[in-house]
Amino acid sequence: MFSWTGRKLIGGALVACFVGVAGVALAQQVGKVGVDWLGNDIVVEAIKDPKVDGVTCHVSYFERGVVDRLQKGNWFEDPSDSAISCQQTGPISIGDIDFGKGGEEVFKQGISLIWKKQVVNRIYDKANDTLVYLSHSRQVQDGSAKMAISTVPLYGQNVTWKNGKPQ
């Protein structure tokens, strides 16, 4: 399950297609900060977890401008760097989530023409009653070690489990 948000590449041309699949989050751009005269930007997007009501993650990433692409080549991809912060933004209601160690992909978008993706996974840490959100990039080869993590503690919160809390 995935969703490409149509990340801008090569001077505003949209080269990633938007494909929506039920149960996967869509990003909403909430900020964009220019960082230099080359047109490079830091983009901030809000992502609501589609299976956990009341949790919003804000992800930031670097978007290369046209001049930077012309100077450095590597026309068709953005860097793998990202940051994430997730918070409770309303009453928490948890649906049918994956409890496996690998968690569940809640968001994915292309950061290159074809192969490289920015991904957010949700993992439930049962021992600490916490939702863990991991932002990272995925590539066919030469995977990146760049990642960021954020947690939303459930302990002491009035959480509704639609399918009952796991034992």
Side-chain angles (χ1 to χ4, degrees):
M1 297 195 318
F2 65 94
S3 170
W4 292 358
T5 61
R7 177 136 340 152
K8 278 194 336 185
L9 293 174
I10 308 178
L14 294 175
V15 294
C17 297
F18 174 84
V19 179
V21 178
V24 178
L26 299 176
Q28 175 187 9
Q29 189 178 103
V30 296
K32 189 171 189 172
V33 177
V35 296
D36 59 26
W37 65 273
L38 298 176
N40 295 318
D41 297 316
I42 295 174
V43 177
V44 179
E45 294 178 333
I47 302 167
K48 293 194 179 280
D49 189 325
K51 293 185 179 178
V52 180
D53 293 335
V55 172
T56 303
C57 296
H58 289 89
V59 177
S60 64
Y61 58 86
F62 190 81
E63 187 176 73
R64 294 174 54 221
V66 176
V67 175
D68 187 53
R69 292 175 191 281
L70 291 171
Q71 283 183 337
K72 297 179 182 167
N74 200 4
W75 284 60
F76 300 107
E77 72 178 26
D78 284 325
S80 298
D81 302 295
S82 68
I84 188 169
S85 179
C86 302
Q87 301 293 322
Q88 179 178 354
T89 54
I92 296 178
S93 178
I94 300 176
D96 185 22
I97 65 171
D98 186 331
F99 295 110
K101 291 230 181 244
E104 183 172 8
E105 205 169 82
V106 296
F107 175 76
K108 178 170 37 176
Q109 71 180 348
I111 57 175
S112 76
L113 186 58
I114 300 174
W115 305 112
K116 192 167 150 184
K117 308 284 184 245
Q118 176 188 2
V119 181
V120 174
N121 285 77
R122 177 200 341 94
I123 300 167
Y124 176 60
D125 176 358
K126 182 178 172 184
N128 295 297
D129 201 18
T130 300
L131 296 173
V132 178
Y133 291 87
L134 171 68
S135 178
H136 62 97
S137 68
R138 179 179 303 132
Q139 299 178 50
V140 174
Q141 65 181 22
D142 298 325
S144 174
K146 298 174 181 176
M147 69 199 90
I149 193 168
S150 185
T151 62
V152 178
L154 302 176
Y155 178 79
Q157 301 295 325
N158 185 16
V159 177
T160 302
W161 291 83
K162 292 180 181 173
N163 296 329
K165 186 173 182 177
Q167 302 302 319

